Structures are given as structure tokens and as C-alpha cells.
Amino acid sequence: MIEKLKTLIDAGRVPHALVIDGGTYESRLACAKELAAALLGETEKVMADVHPDVITVLPEEKKKTLSVEIIRDMREDAYIIPNENERKVYIIAKAELMLDYAQNALLKILEEPPQYATFVLLCDTHSCLLGTVQSRVAVFTLDDEAANAEDETYAECLSLARDLASKIATRDNFALLTAVSCFDKNFDQLNPTLDALSAILRDALVLSAGGVNCISGAENEARLLANSLSANELIARSEGIADIVKAINIYGNKNLTLTRLVSKLSGGPND
């Protein structure tokens, strides 16, 4: 299991909803089960797939999508108190198969979840999720074996994300433009920086709603955003980042991407 997630488990600060992406389907599922076992304090039953309070949500047999009906059924079940434990864990094993209707149905429970419920979404990349869903989950990415410099890279990108968050909070568009321009020479840092910025915006939404569970490592910047932007503005920035991430993955046009990024982060008109 990735180090950041271990730290949150030890501190008792696991968010009510999170995404595990990267790696393989098998490694994501194993990580989710390990998390569930740690949360419930029961390893044997969880790993054997027989614990009644760990529910794996999958598409119906021979179906290519995770239907809205399945998500609605999960949502109803979530309001039934746990059977044997004080917590329930729902593992949405192939979250990338949810179409927009299903994601919107999921959003309703993510906005007002029961205190005892934890939702774990597994997918290849969190960019497959709607911006509104992304803004309400914490993202944890499994390492590829070839990339072991994650801690150093993450720290550097988190620093860049904190700077961007501060510029967004002060609504200084010229300073924001200057900050974004650094990616002209370090374009490979843009994706992980936007991941970190998404986490800060997610924390800002939590704080603006009266929550206290910050997981981005940038609580000060999250508070600045929560005090400076409305919830709708925070969601718009999160959705804008999701659009940019998709553009990077599909087109990779550096100049156009950076120009659009400044517009999305400053709250400019959609293009």
C-alpha cells in the first residue's frame, strides 16, 4: 500500500471517499482490501471476501458499464447500519465503467455520507471521473515499479500546487500567469502538480462545508481558498483541472494547454 495512505490509516484520518488509481486492477483491489482490513481491524474475513461489512461493487455479468441502478442499490444499502463492525467499506472495483448518470447517483452519497461508511473507487486514472466527483474524493496513486522517486517529485509538485492555490485565492491573474509559465520548461511536472492542486481544492470544499479532514498537505492554502472562493467557484476550478488533464492525455499541445489552464484557474469563460 502506498505510504501516504498508510500514514492516514495510522492517524485515523482516512477520508470517507477516496480513489486508488495507477498500477494494475489486481494491485488496486489488493490495496483496497488492505485498507478495508485496516479500517475494520479484521484481516482474515476481509481478505477471504466474506466480511459482510466490506461490499465490492461490480457491473452485472456481461455488462460493459456499471449501471446507475447498481449505484443506487449501493446508496440505499449504505444507510443500513453495519452488520458486525462499526464501519462499512464499499469498494467500487471498476469505477471507470460508471457513466455520467451513475457518477451523479454516486455523488449524492458522497455529499452526505453516513459517518460509518467509506467508499473506495478503483480505476486506471481518476481523470475518468466527473469533476464534481473528483472534488469530493482523495486520490492515491499506486507506484509503477520503474518510478521510485515519487516522494521527491511529489514534494516539488506539492510546492508548485501550493503556490498556484495561493494565486487562485488572491485572484491575482497576472501572478497566476507567471506561476503557470514555469511549466513551459517543466511540462512533465504539470500532471502531478494538477493532481496535488485538485487535492487542495478538495480540502477547500471540505473546509467550506464545515469539515476538518484535510489530506492534501496544504491546509493553509486550502483555508485561503475556502475563505476566498465560493463552493461553486471551487467546483468550477476542480472541473477545469479535470478538463486540462484530459487535454494533456489526448493532445499534449503545451502552449494551448497552459493558456487554457490559466483561464480555468482564474475563472475565465469556458472554451
Side-chain angles (χ1 to χ4, degrees):
M1 188 182 294
I2 52 179
E3 291 303 317
K4 287 186 291 182
L5 194 49
K6 279 185 178 178
T7 302
L8 289 177
I9 292 172
D10 293 341
R13 295 178 56 223
V14 175
H16 75 272
L18 56 98
V19 169
I20 299 174
D21 67 2
T24 63
Y25 171 74
E26 291 76 15
S27 64
R28 292 192 294 271
L29 187 57
C31 185
K33 287 183 179 181
E34 189 176 344
L35 169 62
L39 286 172
L40 273 60
E42 298 183 37
T43 300
E44 221 171 289
K45 279 188 172 183
V46 173
M47 293 305 178
D49 294 325
V50 294
H51 200 295
D53 295 320
V54 179
I55 299 94
T56 301
V57 181
L58 286 163
E60 294 175 281
E61 191 174 354
K62 297 183 180 179
K63 296 289 185 180
K64 294 183 178 180
T65 62
L66 193 52
S67 71
V68 65
E69 288 80 11
I70 286 178
I71 298 301
R72 285 173 179 161
D73 288 344
M74 180 205 72
R75 195 173 66 197
E76 290 182 15
D77 184 81
Y79 289 109
I80 301 172
I81 62 173
N83 291 278
E84 295 182 1
N85 204 279
E86 294 181 354
R87 306 186 65 120
K88 292 177 83 170
V89 179
Y90 291 87
I91 301 172
I92 303 177
K94 296 185 178 182
E96 70 274 7
L97 298 183
M98 288 189 296
L99 299 180
D100 287 0
Y101 288 124
Q103 293 194 45
N104 285 324
L106 174 66
L107 185 61
K108 292 182 180 180
I109 189 89
L110 297 186
E111 289 174 334
E112 296 183 16
Q115 286 189 332
Y116 50 76
T118 300
F119 300 90
V120 186
L121 285 68
L122 311 182
C123 50
D124 292 332
T125 172
H126 64 276
S127 63
C128 68
L129 302 173
L130 296 174
T132 47
V133 173
Q134 290 188 50
S135 68
R136 287 167 174 80
V137 299
V139 178
F140 299 91
T141 300
L142 293 176
D143 296 332
D144 292 328
E145 292 182 5
N148 260 345
E150 180 191 345
D151 289 342
E152 184 178 343
T153 301
Y154 177 76
E156 187 173 352
C157 291
L158 176 59
S159 178
L160 291 169
R162 293 175 70 169
D163 185 47
L164 288 173
S166 297
K167 302 297 190 299
I168 295 169
T170 58
R171 301 180 186 269
D172 187 338
N173 291 344
F174 180 76
L176 184 61
L177 175 62
T178 302
V180 168
S181 67
C182 76
F183 297 107
D184 187 49
K185 293 183 179 179
N186 299 292
F187 195 66
D188 59 330
Q189 289 185 325
L190 183 57
N191 242 332
T193 299
L194 292 181
D195 282 346
L197 183 56
S198 291
I200 298 173
L201 286 163
R202 177 263 175 200
D203 281 355
L205 273 166
V206 169
L207 292 171
S208 68
V212 295
N213 189 13
C214 291
I215 51 85
S216 65
E219 184 171 344
N220 288 341
E221 288 76 14
R223 289 193 182 279
L224 281 174
L225 286 167
N227 292 332
S228 302
L229 278 69
S230 68
N232 285 339
E233 287 177 315
L234 291 170
I235 291 171
R237 297 323 190 265
S238 296
E239 291 178 340
I241 289 173
D243 288 343
I244 293 297
V245 169
K246 288 180 181 178
I248 294 171
N249 294 335
I250 296 173
Y251 303 113
N253 184 312
K254 181 167 64 175
N255 293 332
L256 178 59
T257 297
L258 296 180
T259 300
R260 292 182 66 224
L261 177 60
V262 173
S263 177
K264 298 286 188 183
L265 296 184
S266 64
N270 293 329
D271 51 343

